[in-house]
Amino acid sequence: MVQTLAMPVAPALSVICNGHNNNLLTNASLSFPVSKQPQYPGLSIQCARVGGVEIPNNKRIEYSLQYIHGIGRARARQILVDLKMENKITKDMSEEELITIRDEVSNYMIEGDLRRFNALAIRRLKEIQCYRGIRHIQGLPCRGQHTKNNCRTLKGKRVAIAGKKKAPR
């Protein structure tokens, strides 16, 4: 066990471990093998970046834009209509078309700004203790839904009540 720990890791390191060949260290340069990533022909992993989000290349631009938070189906179609652009696959678009799409998308409130805006609105509702704010604090739906049977998304998993038995039939 001790011998295996004392052995050099690579043959090039044996020069460092042996102290009697100091002049060899000054003349020789140490090189370590660098692992190269395998290259596959015909595989490209480039994604178009719009609004700070990498949108998929293999889908039409109308559906690719919907990967951006704040752009849904209607707004994606509206962007294409405003630019008078046809709904091509993203990888077939030229760089000029992508630049015009980036400029148009930057006119809308998307991603971080939109998330921050919504979080501030909810925080304001909680601070003024209105009905909707109280429902947010309690983790219950605030748009009038019934809560006897549903709303499991907000309430979480069911919790069994000890001592409660089902009524006999």
Side-chain angles (χ1 to χ4, degrees):
M1 173 93 178
V2 175
Q3 292 174 348
T4 57
L5 292 175
M7 289 180 61
V9 177
L13 291 178
S14 64
V15 176
I16 296 172
C17 295
N18 298 334
H20 54 72
N21 285 340
N22 288 339
N23 61 356
L24 185 62
L25 280 175
T26 57
N27 295 337
S29 64
L30 298 175
S31 64
F32 298 102
V34 178
S35 62
K36 292 184 179 180
Q37 294 179 349
Q39 294 181 353
Y40 301 102
L43 179 68
S44 65
I45 311 175
Q46 293 179 339
C47 290
R49 196 160 179 86
V50 177
V53 177
E54 291 185 353
I55 60 175
N57 261 348
N58 54 352
K59 297 187 177 184
R60 296 201 174 271
I61 191 68
E62 177 184 344
Y63 301 107
S64 295
L65 285 176
Q66 293 177 31
Y67 279 68
I68 302 170
H69 180 74
I71 296 182
R73 192 181 322 153
R75 186 165 285 174
R77 286 182 184 160
Q78 187 61 41
I79 288 171
L80 291 177
V81 168
D82 290 346
L83 296 176
K84 298 182 179 92
M85 191 175 292
E86 64 183 64
N87 191 12
K88 294 195 284 190
I89 295 178
T90 308
K91 64 183 173 186
D92 296 338
M93 299 188 76
S94 66
E95 192 61 37
E96 293 82 20
E97 291 173 326
L98 285 174
I99 289 171
T100 57
I101 287 177
R102 285 186 194 111
D103 293 340
E104 183 67 24
V105 165
S106 65
N107 296 335
Y108 297 101
M109 187 185 295
I110 55 169
E111 286 297 321
D113 294 335
L114 182 62
R115 292 179 205 272
R116 197 173 307 110
F117 177 79
N118 290 339
L120 287 173
I122 292 172
R123 187 179 307 143
R124 182 183 61 83
L125 292 173
K126 289 178 181 179
E127 285 174 1
I128 64 174
Q129 293 284 307
C130 67
Y131 178 79
R132 286 175 54 203
I134 291 169
R135 299 295 279 185
H136 274 292
I137 292 168
Q138 293 173 345
L140 294 170
C142 54
R143 293 188 177 179
Q145 295 94 330
H146 291 256
T147 59
K148 181 176 179 180
N149 297 325
N150 293 328
C151 80
R152 277 289 138 210
T153 304
L154 290 173
K155 288 167 79 173
K157 287 192 75 127
R158 288 187 173 90
V159 178
I161 300 172
K164 186 174 181 181
K165 296 181 181 176
K166 290 188 176 180
R169 292 193 179 225

